[in-house]
Amino acid sequence: MINNKFSLGFFPTPFQPLKKLSEKYADYNLFIKRDDHTGLASGGNKTRKLEYLIQDAINKGCDTIITAGAQQSNHCRQTIAACAVANLECHLMLGGEAPEQYNGNLLLSSLLGAHIHFTGENRKGEDSEVLKERLEKKGKKCYVIPIGGSNNVGALGFTYAVKELKEQLSEQDLHMDYIFFASSSGATQAGLLLGIELFDLKTELIPINIDKEHTNGLSLDEVVLNLVNGGKKILNIKKEYTLKDTVVNKDYDKSGYAVLTENEKFAINELAKTEAILLDPVYTGRAFYGMLDYLKKKKLKQNSNVLFWHTGGLPALFSYPDVLK
Ligand SMILES: Cc1ncc(COP(=O)(O)O)c(C=O)c1O
Protein backbone atom coordinates (compact mmCIF):
# COMPACT_ATOMS: atom_id res chain seq x y z
CA MET A 1 0.00 0.00 0.00
CA ILE A 2 2.81 2.40 0.88
CA ASN A 3 3.91 3.19 -2.66
CA ASN A 4 0.45 2.87 -4.07
CA LYS A 5 -0.91 6.36 -4.50
CA PHE A 6 -3.23 8.22 -6.83
CA SER A 7 -1.37 11.10 -8.42
CA LEU A 8 -3.16 14.38 -7.71
CA GLY A 9 -0.61 17.13 -7.23
CA PHE A 10 2.49 18.97 -8.38
CA PHE A 11 5.59 17.67 -6.59
CA PRO A 12 8.17 18.55 -5.41
CA THR A 13 6.65 21.77 -4.14
CA PRO A 14 8.99 24.78 -4.26
CA PHE A 15 11.48 25.34 -1.46
CA GLN A 16 12.76 28.90 -1.28
CA PRO A 17 14.58 31.36 0.96
CA LEU A 18 12.63 34.26 2.49
CA LYS A 19 15.32 36.79 1.66
CA LYS A 20 13.61 40.04 2.60
CA LEU A 21 12.12 38.66 5.78
CA SER A 22 15.51 37.23 6.80
CA GLU A 23 16.95 40.75 6.55
CA LYS A 24 14.24 41.99 8.90
CA TYR A 25 14.73 39.16 11.42
CA ALA A 26 18.48 39.34 11.03
CA ASP A 27 19.47 36.67 13.56
CA TYR A 28 17.92 33.91 11.44
CA ASN A 29 17.91 32.48 7.93
CA LEU A 30 14.30 31.92 6.95
CA PHE A 31 12.99 29.50 4.33
CA ILE A 32 9.60 28.31 3.15
CA LYS A 33 8.25 25.05 1.71
CA ARG A 34 5.38 25.89 -0.63
CA ASP A 35 2.65 23.31 -0.12
CA ASP A 36 0.28 26.11 -1.09
CA HIS A 37 1.47 25.06 -4.58
CA THR A 38 0.46 21.39 -4.49
CA GLY A 39 -2.27 22.01 -7.08
CA LEU A 40 -5.66 20.32 -6.72
CA ALA A 41 -8.01 23.32 -6.81
CA SER A 42 -5.77 25.90 -5.17
CA GLY A 43 -3.24 23.82 -3.26
CA GLY A 44 -2.70 22.88 0.35
CA ASN A 45 -1.42 20.07 2.54
CA LYS A 46 -4.38 17.79 1.89
CA THR A 47 -3.18 16.93 -1.63
CA ARG A 48 -0.40 14.83 -0.10
CA LYS A 49 -2.78 12.96 2.20
CA LEU A 50 -5.46 12.50 -0.46
CA GLU A 51 -3.06 10.80 -2.86
CA TYR A 52 -2.95 7.90 -0.38
CA LEU A 53 -6.56 8.12 0.84
CA ILE A 54 -8.15 8.18 -2.62
CA GLN A 55 -6.02 5.22 -3.75
CA ASP A 56 -7.05 3.32 -0.62
CA ALA A 57 -10.73 4.05 -1.38
CA ILE A 58 -10.30 2.82 -4.96
CA ASN A 59 -8.43 -0.30 -3.77
CA LYS A 60 -11.37 -1.06 -1.49
CA GLY A 61 -13.83 -0.75 -4.37
CA CYS A 62 -15.57 2.36 -2.99
CA ASP A 63 -17.46 4.76 -5.24
CA THR A 64 -18.40 7.44 -2.70
CA ILE A 65 -16.35 9.52 -0.29
CA ILE A 66 -17.74 11.08 2.89
CA THR A 67 -15.80 13.64 4.87
CA ALA A 68 -16.41 16.58 7.19
CA GLY A 69 -15.15 19.93 8.38
CA ALA A 70 -15.98 23.56 8.95
CA GLN A 71 -17.66 25.57 6.16
CA GLN A 72 -14.31 27.03 5.18
CA SER A 73 -12.59 23.63 5.34
CA ASN A 74 -9.62 23.37 2.99
CA HIS A 75 -9.66 19.63 3.50
CA CYS A 76 -13.24 19.39 2.21
CA ARG A 77 -12.50 21.58 -0.81
CA GLN A 78 -9.50 19.46 -1.71
CA THR A 79 -11.39 16.20 -1.10
CA ILE A 80 -14.14 17.10 -3.57
CA ALA A 81 -11.46 18.21 -6.03
CA ALA A 82 -9.75 14.82 -5.70
CA CYS A 83 -13.10 13.06 -6.13
CA ALA A 84 -13.83 15.03 -9.28
CA VAL A 85 -10.50 13.88 -10.74
CA ALA A 86 -10.93 10.26 -9.58
CA ASN A 87 -14.60 10.00 -10.62
CA LEU A 88 -15.93 9.43 -7.11
CA GLU A 89 -19.10 10.86 -5.58
CA CYS A 90 -18.34 13.17 -2.68
CA HIS A 91 -20.45 14.12 0.35
CA LEU A 92 -19.25 16.91 2.62
CA MET A 93 -20.69 17.34 6.12
CA LEU A 94 -20.07 20.96 7.02
CA GLY A 95 -20.69 22.64 10.38
CA GLY A 96 -23.28 25.41 10.76
CA GLU A 97 -26.35 26.30 8.71
CA ALA A 98 -26.49 27.04 4.99
CA PRO A 99 -25.38 30.65 4.50
CA GLU A 100 -27.28 32.93 2.12
CA GLN A 101 -24.25 33.31 -0.06
CA TYR A 102 -21.35 30.89 -0.55
CA ASN A 103 -17.79 32.22 -0.54
CA GLY A 104 -14.18 31.01 -0.11
CA ASN A 105 -13.77 27.24 0.22
CA LEU A 106 -17.52 26.64 0.44
CA LEU A 107 -18.03 28.30 -2.93
CA LEU A 108 -15.26 26.19 -4.46
CA SER A 109 -16.52 22.93 -2.91
CA SER A 110 -19.91 23.58 -4.41
CA LEU A 111 -18.43 24.56 -7.77
CA LEU A 112 -16.41 21.33 -7.82
CA GLY A 113 -19.62 19.32 -7.45
CA ALA A 114 -19.84 18.26 -3.79
CA HIS A 115 -23.06 17.07 -2.19
CA ILE A 116 -23.13 19.41 0.80
CA HIS A 117 -24.90 18.61 4.10
CA PHE A 118 -24.99 21.28 6.81
CA THR A 119 -24.63 19.68 10.23
CA GLY A 120 -25.15 22.49 12.76
CA GLU A 121 -22.81 22.26 15.74
CA ASN A 122 -21.12 19.13 14.42
CA ARG A 123 -18.12 20.06 12.30
CA LYS A 124 -15.92 17.07 13.06
CA GLY A 125 -17.72 14.27 11.27
CA GLU A 126 -19.92 13.21 14.18
CA ASP A 127 -22.74 12.30 11.73
CA SER A 128 -20.65 10.46 9.11
CA GLU A 129 -21.76 6.93 10.03
CA VAL A 130 -25.45 7.90 9.81
CA LEU A 131 -24.94 9.33 6.33
CA LYS A 132 -22.88 6.30 5.33
CA GLU A 133 -25.72 3.97 6.32
CA ARG A 134 -28.24 6.07 4.37
CA LEU A 135 -26.11 6.09 1.23
CA GLU A 136 -25.29 2.38 1.48
CA LYS A 137 -29.01 1.60 1.61
CA LYS A 138 -29.14 3.28 -1.80
CA GLY A 139 -26.39 0.98 -3.09
CA LYS A 140 -23.33 3.21 -2.66
CA LYS A 141 -20.03 1.86 -1.32
CA CYS A 142 -18.72 4.54 1.00
CA TYR A 143 -15.26 5.41 2.25
CA VAL A 144 -15.24 7.76 5.24
CA ILE A 145 -12.27 10.11 5.54
CA PRO A 146 -11.88 11.58 9.05
CA ILE A 147 -11.60 15.36 9.48
CA GLY A 148 -8.44 16.74 7.99
CA GLY A 149 -7.70 13.39 6.33
CA SER A 150 -5.95 12.48 9.55
CA ASN A 151 -5.46 8.75 9.87
CA ASN A 152 -2.51 6.46 9.23
CA VAL A 153 -3.13 6.38 5.48
CA GLY A 154 -3.31 10.17 5.16
CA ALA A 155 -0.21 10.65 7.31
CA LEU A 156 1.88 8.74 4.76
CA GLY A 157 1.68 11.80 2.50
CA PHE A 158 3.73 13.79 4.97
CA THR A 159 6.11 10.97 5.78
CA TYR A 160 7.18 10.95 2.13
CA ALA A 161 7.15 14.75 2.02
CA VAL A 162 10.20 14.59 4.31
CA LYS A 163 12.07 12.61 1.64
CA GLU A 164 11.17 15.32 -0.86
CA LEU A 165 12.45 18.07 1.44
CA LYS A 166 15.61 16.13 2.27
CA GLU A 167 16.45 15.87 -1.43
CA GLN A 168 15.91 19.61 -1.89
CA LEU A 169 18.14 20.37 1.09
CA SER A 170 20.92 18.06 -0.10
CA GLU A 171 20.90 19.70 -3.55
CA GLN A 172 21.69 23.02 -1.86
CA ASP A 173 23.87 21.56 0.87
CA LEU A 174 21.54 23.00 3.49
CA HIS A 175 20.35 21.89 6.91
CA MET A 176 17.18 23.12 8.64
CA ASP A 177 17.44 23.55 12.41
CA TYR A 178 13.71 24.05 12.91
CA ILE A 179 10.49 23.45 10.98
CA PHE A 180 7.35 25.39 11.94
CA PHE A 181 3.88 24.43 10.71
CA ALA A 182 0.19 24.50 11.66
CA SER A 183 -1.12 21.40 13.42
CA SER A 184 -4.82 20.75 13.79
CA SER A 185 -6.12 17.26 13.07
CA GLY A 186 -2.68 15.75 13.51
CA ALA A 187 -1.60 13.81 10.43
CA THR A 188 0.70 16.50 9.06
CA GLN A 189 2.60 16.41 12.34
CA ALA A 190 2.48 12.62 12.68
CA GLY A 191 3.60 12.14 9.09
CA LEU A 192 6.50 14.57 9.50
CA LEU A 193 7.58 12.92 12.75
CA LEU A 194 7.66 9.50 11.11
CA GLY A 195 9.35 10.96 8.04
CA ILE A 196 12.22 12.55 9.95
CA GLU A 197 12.88 9.20 11.59
CA LEU A 198 12.52 7.13 8.42
CA PHE A 199 14.66 9.43 6.27
CA ASP A 200 16.99 10.55 9.05
CA LEU A 201 16.40 14.28 8.74
CA LYS A 202 18.03 16.04 11.67
CA THR A 203 15.72 18.91 12.58
CA GLU A 204 13.39 20.07 15.35
CA LEU A 205 9.68 20.21 14.54
CA ILE A 206 7.74 23.08 16.13
CA PRO A 207 4.02 22.45 15.50
CA ILE A 208 1.68 25.33 16.34
CA ASN A 209 -1.76 24.33 17.63
CA ILE A 210 -4.70 25.89 15.79
CA ASP A 211 -7.90 24.59 17.39
CA LYS A 212 -8.09 24.61 21.19
CA GLU A 213 -11.12 22.27 21.20
CA HIS A 214 -10.20 18.65 21.84
CA THR A 215 -11.39 15.80 19.64
CA ASN A 216 -13.03 12.79 21.36
CA GLY A 217 -11.66 14.00 24.71
CA LEU A 218 -8.04 13.66 23.54
CA SER A 219 -5.48 16.46 23.38
CA LEU A 220 -3.81 16.96 20.00
CA ASP A 221 -0.56 15.64 21.52
CA GLU A 222 -2.38 12.37 22.29
CA VAL A 223 -4.03 12.22 18.86
CA VAL A 224 -0.62 12.64 17.21
CA LEU A 225 0.95 9.99 19.44
CA ASN A 226 -1.77 7.52 18.43
CA LEU A 227 -1.22 8.33 14.76
CA VAL A 228 2.53 7.92 15.14
CA ASN A 229 2.18 4.58 16.92
CA GLY A 230 -0.15 3.32 14.18
CA GLY A 231 2.08 4.66 11.41
CA LYS A 232 5.34 3.24 12.76
CA LYS A 233 3.94 -0.28 12.41
CA ILE A 234 3.08 0.28 8.75
CA LEU A 235 6.52 1.76 8.12
CA ASN A 236 8.42 -0.70 10.29
CA ILE A 237 9.96 2.03 12.44
CA LYS A 238 11.43 0.76 15.70
CA LYS A 239 11.68 4.02 17.67
CA GLU A 240 9.56 4.24 20.84
CA TYR A 241 7.49 7.44 20.97
CA THR A 242 6.06 9.17 24.05
CA LEU A 243 4.00 12.33 24.56
CA LYS A 244 7.29 14.24 24.81
CA ASP A 245 7.77 13.60 21.08
CA THR A 246 4.34 14.88 20.07
CA VAL A 247 4.09 18.14 22.01
CA VAL A 248 2.19 20.87 20.15
CA ASN A 249 2.75 24.52 21.05
CA LYS A 250 -0.54 25.89 22.41
CA ASP A 251 0.48 29.53 22.99
CA TYR A 252 -1.40 30.93 20.01
CA ASP A 253 -4.82 29.22 20.01
CA LYS A 254 -6.57 31.20 22.78
CA SER A 255 -8.99 33.15 20.57
CA GLY A 256 -10.52 29.88 19.34
CA TYR A 257 -10.77 28.14 16.00
CA ALA A 258 -11.04 30.35 12.92
CA VAL A 259 -11.13 33.60 14.88
CA LEU A 260 -8.96 36.21 13.21
CA THR A 261 -7.06 38.32 15.75
CA GLU A 262 -4.39 41.01 15.48
CA ASN A 263 -1.81 38.17 15.58
CA GLU A 264 -2.97 36.47 12.41
CA LYS A 265 -3.53 39.85 10.73
CA PHE A 266 0.03 40.87 11.55
CA ALA A 267 1.52 37.65 10.21
CA ILE A 268 -0.54 37.65 7.01
CA ASN A 269 0.27 41.29 6.26
CA GLU A 270 3.96 40.84 7.12
CA LEU A 271 4.50 37.97 4.68
CA ALA A 272 2.28 39.47 1.97
CA LYS A 273 4.07 42.82 2.08
CA THR A 274 7.65 41.49 2.28
CA GLU A 275 7.59 38.35 0.11
CA ALA A 276 4.23 38.53 -1.73
CA ILE A 277 3.28 35.14 -0.26
CA LEU A 278 -0.30 34.71 0.91
CA LEU A 279 -1.11 32.94 4.17
CA ASP A 280 -4.59 31.88 5.26
CA PRO A 281 -6.52 33.34 8.21
CA VAL A 282 -7.15 30.08 10.11
CA TYR A 283 -4.04 27.87 9.94
CA THR A 284 -0.93 29.30 8.33
CA GLY A 285 -1.61 32.86 9.54
CA ARG A 286 -1.71 31.59 13.11
CA ALA A 287 1.31 29.30 12.75
CA PHE A 288 3.39 31.96 11.00
CA TYR A 289 2.59 34.40 13.80
CA GLY A 290 3.85 31.77 16.22
CA MET A 291 7.10 31.51 14.32
CA LEU A 292 7.57 35.30 14.17
CA ASP A 293 6.95 35.46 17.91
CA TYR A 294 9.72 32.88 18.51
CA LEU A 295 12.02 34.99 16.32
CA LYS A 296 11.15 38.27 18.04
CA LYS A 297 11.65 36.73 21.48
CA LYS A 298 14.91 35.12 20.31
CA LYS A 299 13.80 31.68 21.45
CA LEU A 300 15.80 29.91 18.72
CA LYS A 301 19.55 29.40 18.26
CA GLN A 302 21.22 32.46 16.74
CA ASN A 303 21.99 32.20 13.00
CA SER A 304 19.90 29.08 12.70
CA ASN A 305 18.04 27.99 9.56
CA VAL A 306 14.30 28.10 10.11
CA LEU A 307 11.75 26.62 7.72
CA PHE A 308 8.07 27.48 7.59
CA TRP A 309 6.06 24.69 5.97
CA HIS A 310 3.24 26.54 4.19
CA THR A 311 0.24 24.21 4.24
CA GLY A 312 -2.08 26.25 2.01
CA GLY A 313 -5.56 27.56 2.72
CA LEU A 314 -5.68 30.49 0.30
CA PRO A 315 -9.44 30.31 -0.56
CA ALA A 316 -10.42 31.01 3.07
CA LEU A 317 -8.70 34.39 2.80
CA PHE A 318 -11.50 35.54 0.50
CA SER A 319 -14.05 35.10 3.28
CA TYR A 320 -12.07 37.28 5.74
CA PRO A 321 -12.17 40.89 4.44
CA ASP A 322 -11.15 42.00 7.97
CA VAL A 323 -7.65 40.82 7.20
CA LEU A 324 -6.86 44.31 5.89
CA LYS A 325 -5.19 46.39 8.62
C1 LIG B 1 -4.22 25.24 5.48
C2 LIG B 1 -4.08 24.20 6.52
N1 LIG B 1 -2.94 24.12 7.22
C3 LIG B 1 -2.76 23.21 8.19
C4 LIG B 1 -3.75 22.30 8.51
C5 LIG B 1 -3.48 21.35 9.62
O1 LIG B 1 -3.10 20.10 9.15
P1 LIG B 1 -3.47 18.81 9.99
O2 LIG B 1 -4.98 18.78 10.02
O3 LIG B 1 -2.88 17.69 9.27
O4 LIG B 1 -2.96 18.97 11.37
C6 LIG B 1 -4.97 22.34 7.79
C7 LIG B 1 -6.07 21.40 8.06
O5 LIG B 1 -6.50 21.06 9.08
C8 LIG B 1 -5.14 23.30 6.77
O6 LIG B 1 -6.27 23.38 6.06
Side-chain angles (χ1 to χ4, degrees), residues 292-309:
L292 294 180
D293 195 46
Y294 269 68
L295 304 183
K296 264 187 292 182
K297 292 180 176 153
K298 301 199 185 297
K299 285 185 172 180
L300 306 176
K301 274 184 297 179
Q302 233 189 341
N303 291 323
S304 51
N305 290 344
V306 184
L307 177 76
F308 183 76
W309 201 306

Side-chain angles (χ1 to χ4, degrees), residues 68-73 92-100 102 106 116-127 257:
Q71 290 196 4
Q72 286 302 328
S73 165
L92 301 180
M93 313 194 73
L94 305 180
E97 309 301 328
E100 260 175 41
Y102 285 8
L106 179 57
I116 296 177
H117 310 260
F118 290 98
T119 53
E121 282 182 2
N122 296 345
R123 65 171 165 90
K124 297 200 173 183
E126 294 86 339
D127 309 315
Y257 179 73

Side-chain angles (χ1 to χ4, degrees), residues 33 39 61 84 90 99 135 143 216 222 239 247 291 294 317 319:
K33 175 80 173 143
C90 179
L135 292 172
Y143 184 92
N216 301 328
E222 291 167 322
K239 181 178 157 76
V247 172
M291 184 183 87
Y294 269 68
L317 199 52
S319 66

Side-chain angles (χ1 to χ4, degrees), residues 45-46 49 74-75 148 150 182-189 280 283-284 311-313:
N45 61 343
K46 302 307 182 292
K49 300 181 185 185
N74 300 299
H75 161 65
S150 282
S183 190
S184 183
S185 62
T188 299
Q189 186 179 341
D280 85 284
Y283 298 94
T284 54
T311 45

